[in-house]
Every structure is written in C-alpha cells, then in structure tokens.
Amino acid sequence: MTSLAGRIGRATATTLFAGAVGGVALLAGEAIAARTRRYAKPTMGLALRTSMGPSAAPPLRLVLLGDSAAIGVGVEWLSETVGGQLARLLAEGTPETGQRHVLLSSVGVAGSRSTDLATQVARALLGDRPDVAVVLIGARDATGLRSPDESATHLGDAVRRLRDAGVQVVVGTCPDLGAVRSIAPPLRQLTGWVGRRVARAQAAAVVAAGGVVVDLGDETGAVFRADAGTLCYDGFHPSADGYRVWAHALYPAVLDAAQAAGRRTTLE
C-alpha cells in the first residue's frame, strides 16, 4: 500500500510539473506570437492640431497625452480619434453649456509608457496653457509587465504637474486588455488581470494628485468583449467605433472639467 501510494504521488508530481512546464511554454509562445503580429501604425497625415466649433464661441484648449490612444492609432481620420470626437461633442455643447471653439492638440506618442509622461507634460505646457488635459496611458505598462505602483507614481506626478499649472485633468485608466483579440488565451486573461491591477493603482494615484478618473476597463470593457468591431484590423488598437465608445465614456468628466476651466477663466 505504501509503495502504491508513493508511485501515485510521484506520478502526480510528474504530471503537475509537466503541466506547469507546458503552461509556461504555451504562455511564452503566445507572447512571442503577440509581439510579432502586424500592428497598426500612426497615420502620418493625421493632424495633431485642429479647431472645432464657431470661432466666436468661448475658446477651450484641449490637449491629449499618453500612448497610441491619444493620437488615434487604428483610424485614418482625426474625426474618428478620441480627441476628435471629444472636441466635436464639446464644440456642439448642450443647451445648458452652449457651443465652444475647441482648440485640440495632442502630444501623445505611440508606444508610450507612464515614464514618458514627464516629457509630454513639458510639451503640453509650452506656449498657451491648456484648459483641459485628457491622459490615456497604461496599456504598454501592463503588457510590458511594469510594476503597477511604479507606473502609477509616474502618472500621479504628471497629473500633479498639470494641476499645479492650472489645468483640469481627466485620466482614462488602462483599458480592458482581456478584450483584445491579438493575444490568445490564456495569455489574454493574464494580461487582462495585469491591466486591472495597473488601472486600480492609476486610479488611486490620479485622485491623490487632484485629477479625475474614468475607469475605461470597467465602463467600456464589456462592449469591447462583445463586439469585435470595436477593434481595428490588428485586434489590439480601437477602431473608430471603439474610440467613439471611449469618447462617450470620457465625455461627462471632460465636460465637467471644461466647465470648471471656464469658471476659473471667468474668475481670473
């Protein structure tokens, strides 16, 4: 009986070890496949500065910072990007807020991590001060397996610098990476878990720095998981539909920020 139990124990241990090795090999293979996929590139002709709305309306300077989401990788027209769609919504306004003349710009860079925000903040604050900054960052921090707390610290520092300069700040945290199609299961689920950890750390850091948080994973993840059309051809970056989903999730907070910026301008 003892000998049988020992053989069973050794067989079980061998099976578990082989399963673990196989699991690691599977994840490694999927990671290599994900890195070697053909991903969308920034559209060189996509304007990073434009204006929308009646020129006689009150001006609003809106700047986007962050990664590929801040410049619309995956679409071809400015009107399809998050910034373009937010600018249109703000320019059209509501009966309560009225129209605005939105001056839109972006200092985002595709592939950026939170450590790159310091340079982007410096660029955003050159010249005329923005009224509202929208920061979209976190995906590369998560896929690069950076420490969530370290990434959040850099983001918090960026938000604090913008707030100290008098800029209203809205941050869209790391999106639901468990919804991307360019990464196969089970690596997709693992990446999604890391992304949620990054988003939670980001939210705490942004609030502490005086910014406003929009949890893109929580608010839009279910839509991206259900509708493959929210991603562009590479299965990673959003399509025009995906950016529209993000823009409408961000809009209430951005509108509040615009109104707060307007009140501050009036007082000054």
Side-chain angles (χ1 to χ4, degrees):
M1 181 67 69
T2 302
S3 178
L4 176 60
R7 288 198 298 272
I8 293 175
R10 288 192 294 273
T12 301
T14 301
T15 301
L16 290 174
F17 177 75
V21 171
V24 171
L26 175 61
L27 291 173
E30 289 177 354
I32 293 172
R35 285 197 299 269
T36 57
R37 283 178 64 96
R38 186 171 66 91
Y39 289 97
K41 302 293 183 183
T43 300
M44 300 305 294
L46 198 63
L48 297 182
R49 292 183 180 272
T50 192
S51 61
M52 296 186 186
S55 58
L60 177 76
R61 296 185 180 277
L62 173 66
V63 64
L64 270 73
L65 302 88
D67 54 25
S68 57
I71 56 174
V73 172
V75 298
E76 296 182 359
W77 304 100
L78 177 63
S79 60
E80 298 174 327
T81 66
V82 169
Q85 297 191 60
L86 285 173
R88 177 183 57 79
L89 291 168
L90 292 167
E92 292 174 352
T94 67
E96 291 76 22
T97 63
Q99 294 179 309
R100 291 182 175 85
H101 182 60
V102 181
L103 303 166
L104 172 67
S105 63
S106 175
V107 295
V109 178
S112 290
R113 297 180 173 89
S114 297
T115 52
D116 301 310
L117 287 175
T119 300
Q120 294 187 25
V121 170
R123 291 174 57 199
L125 294 177
L126 285 175
D128 294 327
R129 184 195 70 192
D131 298 300
V132 178
V134 175
V135 184
L136 301 171
I137 199 78
R140 286 298 300 274
D141 292 285
T143 57
L145 299 179
R146 298 297 178 93
S147 163
D149 291 336
E150 180 183 353
S151 299
T153 297
H154 289 290
L155 174 58
D157 290 342
V159 172
R160 193 170 291 107
R161 285 178 61 194
L162 290 166
R163 293 293 293 126
D164 288 346
V167 182
Q168 301 292 322
V169 183
V170 176
V171 175
T173 56
C174 181
D176 181 9
L177 297 177
V180 302
R181 270 76 172 178
S182 62
I183 304 175
L187 183 59
R188 182 189 303 171
Q189 284 75 15
L190 177 60
T191 305
W193 175 76
V194 174
R196 288 191 294 275
R197 291 187 63 216
V198 169
R200 286 194 296 268
Q202 287 179 317
V206 170
V207 171
V212 176
V213 173
V214 176
D215 189 331
L216 290 180
D218 185 58
E219 295 199 19
T220 69
V223 179
F224 277 79
R225 286 173 182 258
D227 183 4
T230 53
L231 299 173
C232 74
Y233 71 84
D234 67 7
F236 185 84
H237 295 95
S239 64
D241 286 341
Y243 282 129
R244 180 164 55 252
V245 171
W246 281 359
H248 280 275
L250 291 162
Y251 178 64
V254 175
L255 178 60
D256 288 345
Q259 291 177 292
R263 288 193 295 270
R264 175 168 181 152
T265 301
T266 300
L267 291 174
E268 291 175 350

